[in-house]
Amino acid sequence: MIVPMTRLRVIAPRDRLDAVLHVAQDLGRLHVVPPATQGGLALPLPVAREIRRRRQIERRLADADDAMRLLHLAPAAPPSTRPSLGGALQAAARGARAARRLAARELALRDEQAMLRRYRAVLDAVLPVLQRLQVTDAMAAHAVVMPDVTSADQLRRALRMSVGPDVIAEARPLGDGTVVLVLVLPTALQAALDAQLAASRLPEIPLPEGYHEGLVQALPRLAERLAAIPAALAALEQEQRQTAEAWRVPLLAARAVLADWHAAAEARGLVGLTPHVFVFEGWVPTLHLPVVTEALQRAGGPDGVIELVERAEWGEDEAPVVLQNPRVLRPFERLLGMLPLPRYGTLDPTPFLAVFFPLLFGVMLGDIGYAALLAAGAWWLRRRQAPGTVLRDAADVALACAAAAAIAGVLFGELFGDLGRRLLHLHPILFDRESAVLPAILLAVGLGFTHVLLGLVLGAITLAHRSPRHALGRALSAVMLVLLLLALLALTNVLPKAHFTPVLILLVAAVPVLIFAEGIIAPVELLATVGNVLSYARIMAIGTASVMLAVVANSMVGELGSVTIGVLFALLFHLVNFAIGLFSPAIHALRLHYVEFFGKFYDPGGRPYQPLAHWSPAGGRPSPTGGVA
């Protein structure tokens, strides 16, 4: 449900402003807004000093967040002992500097490691040659990459002819089809070698920065450095853990102080002022109105006034929206997170989503075996996630979908397709989806009819107090949808044919009323609604495709010659079918809700409920029971 809200107006002496805001922040239930009546009031214009302080706070908040991210500090409740604002600013700045220094050192080490690793193949090819030849300071060594062994042999012969027979040249493969030609010669022949390499347009392998003393001296030092970097990274990681432990409490405390100051400053900017009093308004969940009113009255002093803003003075578009549902339904609120909040005064679709989403998903998956796998995976995930997290809620939704799929699997007689029928003599109670196409279509369209009809009824209820004429049109559309069904049943002899004529007369008579209520386009929209109902046939198509893939997987065991190979291929097909059976029903069930169902009554555009509260590291959803949940 959408929590009922009440709008308060707070009027008190100007010197009580900080005390009132402090109490409101402690309560965590007051959504502050500017006063609706601005006569004689002025919103405070921040002076240059306040602007600078606010920017400083925002920078230090970013510093604290950055430090916690770089030090891999998980969100946690801040300590009860808080520093002053100046201490928080200093702690955030110092913690960020320490974290960034460590991060910069780690980045430099990893960049150096990645750069040196590119020389690993060259090291493995060239170093053994240099060590075997025992190259001294009186000799020079060079390495040239050649496209293949043939090119290396041609260069070797050319060097011996142009430079002399004292040139030692050995080719070693690099692993990517190329070879490295290692050249060792007396230093006196260095000039002749450089001239030959320049004439052949063959550059030597470039050494990284800091290793320009020559190949003989550089490669061993490069190898030593590459071997030493993992130990340096391990030592740095240990230093990071120590730094994180040292800064965990100061950063959490600083983050809380700075965030609280910033939230209070934003609320202060919404307060109307006169030379002697301040005025602001706020939204409070009606359930907690007495507690909030009493606390604000005490904070405002004997001259303070707390009054309720009459309902006629504000519109529904102004009230913030917070959803409150039983614990079992709350995970399904996550499925609404991809849409804007519903408008205040309309319906919260969470209960309907909690019923129909698992139902549609279960009918599409409809297999006991796949449902058991889904339930096992969801239970495993649920046990490893904290309550209120996204993954925990996703696991709860998956468990509901698994239960619905298991029930549908019993009704359809499916256990990994026809495996239950083969091994356990499992038989369908409702119908066999493998062969009963028409009953499957009727079931899918019947679910669509019920779902869309419910959406039209909810739309009429939602519009009843805001637009009675459009509510009449929405209700009449629901009635005409039922009349169309009755006419179809009469035509197919499910109902007596004598019912067809009166039903048709009622339909024709309803058209002018529908046009009056919804406009000239209303009959076209009614036809679109019929199309919405028929689009639920996708439930049948997805379910039939799933069971047929499972049957094909089972048939592989006896069709591939080897039982072992057949079982492996069957398991692979079942795994693929299971993956498709998770994603495809979920996507289509959401689409049927967002388009066909919500389109009949859902009115988006609600303002989020953002009470003035103390910082919570987990963020969370606003809760009408106090602060954030």
Side-chain angles (χ1 to χ4, degrees):
M1 61 173 287
I2 296 176
V3 175
M5 306 294 287
T6 300
R7 186 160 179 161
L8 293 179
R9 181 177 293 121
V10 181
I11 307 172
R14 187 164 177 166
D15 59 0
R16 304 296 298 173
L17 175 59
D18 288 339
V20 170
L21 289 179
H22 179 73
V23 169
Q25 194 166 30
D26 288 342
L27 291 171
R29 295 169 183 168
L30 182 65
H31 178 107
V32 180
V33 294
T37 303
Q38 299 291 335
L41 298 175
L43 294 179
L45 295 175
V47 298
R49 179 172 56 84
E50 293 176 347
I51 294 174
R52 288 195 300 270
R53 173 50 63 92
R54 187 161 180 168
R55 288 175 179 172
Q56 182 187 28
I57 296 290
E58 291 172 350
R59 287 197 301 269
R60 294 298 172 255
L61 273 172
D63 284 343
D65 288 337
D66 201 28
M68 293 177 67
R69 177 183 60 82
L70 293 174
L71 294 175
H72 310 291
L73 290 173
S80 55
T81 303
R82 307 281 183 91
S84 64
L85 181 60
L89 291 168
Q90 186 179 23
R94 291 177 57 202
R97 284 197 296 270
R100 287 165 183 161
R101 280 196 298 266
L102 290 173
R105 287 168 55 192
E106 181 184 8
L107 180 62
L109 277 174
R110 294 198 181 279
D111 285 348
E112 183 183 9
Q113 185 181 47
M115 181 267 295
L116 294 181
R117 277 177 176 169
R118 294 198 294 267
Y119 288 86
R120 170 64 68 184
V122 176
L123 285 172
D124 293 341
V126 176
L127 266 181
V129 175
L130 299 181
Q131 293 169 353
R132 179 170 52 80
L133 294 177
Q134 298 180 350
V135 179
T136 65
D137 293 339
M139 304 179 72
H142 301 267
V144 182
V145 176
M146 306 296 294
D148 49 49
V149 176
T150 301
S151 301
D153 289 340
Q154 291 174 353
L155 180 61
R156 182 190 299 114
R157 289 193 295 269
L159 290 174
R160 287 180 176 173
M161 291 179 59
S162 60
V163 178
D166 293 334
V167 176
I168 301 174
E170 292 193 18
R172 290 289 182 270
L174 288 179
D176 58 353
T178 62
V179 297
V180 59
L181 187 63
V182 184
L183 304 173
V184 179
L185 70 164
T187 54
L189 300 178
Q190 179 70 48
L193 175 65
D194 292 341
Q196 181 61 41
L197 292 178
S200 302
R201 296 184 179 178
L202 294 172
E204 297 182 60
I205 295 177
L207 292 173
E209 187 176 354
Y211 294 86
H212 297 313
E213 63 270 37
L215 201 64
V216 176
Q217 295 80 17
L219 286 186
R221 196 160 65 85
L222 191 150
E224 292 175 3
R225 179 56 181 165
L226 188 57
I229 287 180
L233 285 172
L236 183 60
E237 185 178 352
Q238 177 63 25
E239 186 179 351
Q240 284 176 329
R241 284 195 294 267
Q242 294 172 352
T243 304
E245 184 60 29
W247 279 101
R248 184 177 65 84
V249 173
L251 282 174
L252 285 173
R255 180 66 174 81
V257 170
L258 296 174
D260 287 354
W261 188 96
H262 190 267
E266 286 189 329
R268 194 175 289 107
L270 301 175
V271 176
L273 299 174
T274 72
H276 303 290
V277 301
F278 70 86
V279 181
F280 71 85
E281 296 179 6
W283 296 97
V284 180
T286 304
L287 177 65
H288 300 288
L289 184 61
V291 174
V292 174
T293 302
E294 182 182 355
L296 293 178
Q297 184 66 69
R298 286 198 307 268
D303 296 326
V305 176
I306 312 296
E307 60 183 23
L308 304 185
V309 179
E310 294 295 331
R311 177 65 182 82
E313 296 184 39
W314 54 270
E316 290 180 345
D317 291 346
E318 301 176 33
V321 173
V322 58
L323 305 180
Q324 183 184 30
N325 289 289
R327 185 179 300 275
V328 70
L329 300 183
R330 287 177 197 165
F332 291 90
E333 292 178 10
R334 298 286 186 182
L335 299 180
L336 292 176
M338 291 177 278
L339 299 175
L341 283 169
R343 239 177 250 281
Y344 186 82
T346 62
L347 289 176
D348 173 15
T350 302
F352 308 103
L353 193 59
V355 172
F356 281 97
F357 182 81
L359 175 62
L360 298 180
F361 183 99
V363 171
M364 283 185 271
L365 186 60
D367 188 286
I368 301 171
Y370 293 149
L373 292 178
L374 176 58
W379 184 253
W380 176 86
L381 179 63
R382 189 181 189 277
R383 290 180 60 115
R384 283 158 177 76
Q385 301 298 322
T389 60
V390 174
L391 290 179
R392 176 69 173 262
D393 289 345
D396 288 337
V397 172
L399 283 173
C401 292
I407 295 172
V410 172
L411 295 176
F412 299 145
E414 293 178 21
L415 174 66
F416 295 115
D418 62 348
L419 192 61
R421 192 182 318 154
R422 294 184 182 187
L423 300 181
L424 304 177
H425 304 290
L426 188 66
H427 295 289
I429 297 174
L430 196 58
F431 54 80
D432 183 1
R433 291 195 298 176
E434 186 179 349
S435 57
V437 177
L438 183 59
I441 293 178
L442 292 177
L443 174 63
V445 175
L447 285 172
F449 178 84
T450 304
H451 207 205
V452 172
L453 182 64
L454 176 61
L456 290 171
V457 172
L458 294 177
I461 295 173
T462 301
L463 294 170
H465 68 288
R466 291 193 301 158
S467 178
R469 195 177 82 173
H470 286 90
L472 171 64
R474 203 63 55 92
L476 191 58
S477 295
V479 172
M480 294 179 73
L481 189 64
V482 174
L483 291 175
L484 285 171
L485 175 63
L486 294 177
L488 180 62
L489 293 178
L491 281 175
T492 55
N493 294 321
V494 177
L495 292 178
K497 281 201 172 183
H499 290 123
F500 178 75
T501 300
V503 168
L504 185 61
I505 293 173
L506 289 174
L507 276 171
V508 173
V511 170
V513 182
L514 182 65
I515 293 175
F516 165 77
E518 296 274 24
I520 193 67
I521 200 70
V524 177
E525 291 180 349
L526 181 63
L527 293 177
T529 300
V530 174
N532 292 154
V533 172
L534 296 178
S535 71
Y536 281 72
R538 73 185 67 213
I539 296 174
M540 179 278 300
I542 294 170
T544 302
S546 177
V547 68
M548 294 309 297
L549 280 174
V551 170
V552 170
N554 295 333
S555 66
M556 288 185 174
V557 176
E559 298 294 334
L560 296 179
S562 170
V563 175
T564 303
I565 295 177
V567 169
L568 290 176
F569 270 93
L571 290 175
L572 178 62
F573 260 63
H574 275 299
L575 182 61
V576 172
N577 193 28
F578 176 62
I580 295 173
L582 293 185
F583 290 103
S584 188
I587 292 171
H588 285 281
L590 282 176
R591 185 201 179 280
L592 290 172
H593 278 85
Y594 290 166
V595 179
E596 277 78 0
F597 183 53
F598 286 0
K600 304 298 179 288
F601 71 95
Y602 191 76
D603 189 5
R607 297 186 178 188
Y609 172 59
Q610 297 174 331
L612 174 62
H614 291 293
W615 176 68
S616 170
R621 293 168 291 179
S623 169
T625 58
V628 286

